[in-house]
Amino acid sequence: RYQSLGTLGERLSVNFVSENAQLVLDSKTERDLARVANFFRDHPDKRLVLAEFAPGRPTGSSDGAMQQLEQKLAEHSLSLYDRVTVDHGPDSFDAMAGQIEIWAL
């Protein structure tokens, strides 16, 4: 599913970070949330997709960081179209653990 995002969607230059299954809430996160909200307000025809890198976590298992990010996005009047969890990849994949990307379809 992640590969199809690259074909069908546009990746925003915003990454959110989670630590211990919790969204890192700092000033950068708040600025990035505002940037995402502005993008989707300027592009109402686009749909928001979250892509989370979670190596080693079973597919379909819940992550508090994704839920927190969804809640923060809802506070900016944004609704989620889809979420994708990437649980395997190349050897360097572990370095991406805890990263959540924003995609527009």
Side-chain angles (χ1 to χ4, degrees):
R1 287 182 56 206
Y2 182 77
Q3 288 177 333
S4 66
L5 285 176
T7 303
L8 302 172
E10 171 186 356
R11 183 179 176 280
L12 277 62
S13 61
V14 173
N15 292 325
F16 293 94
V17 178
S18 69
E19 292 177 358
N20 302 319
Q22 296 295 310
L23 185 65
V24 173
L25 297 172
D26 57 13
S27 59
K28 179 187 178 304
T29 299
E30 293 302 323
R31 283 191 312 271
D32 287 346
L33 283 165
R35 289 177 57 206
V36 170
N38 288 336
F39 175 85
F40 284 98
R41 279 191 200 102
D42 291 346
H43 300 89
D45 58 320
K46 301 284 186 178
R47 295 183 176 160
L48 189 147
V49 177
L50 299 179
E52 177 188 27
F53 295 91
R57 195 176 81 208
T59 302
S61 66
S62 177
D63 182 13
M66 284 282 271
Q67 293 171 353
Q68 286 178 299
L69 184 53
E70 285 182 53
Q71 182 179 21
K72 289 290 189 183
L73 292 166
E75 290 172 9
H76 287 272
S77 301
L78 296 172
S79 59
L80 188 65
Y81 176 71
D82 198 6
R83 64 166 39 191
V84 175
T85 300
V86 184
D87 58 5
H88 63 280
D91 292 339
S92 61
F93 181 67
D94 286 344
M96 298 174 76
Q99 177 175 301
I100 303 171
E101 296 178 345
I102 304 289
W103 286 79
L105 291 182

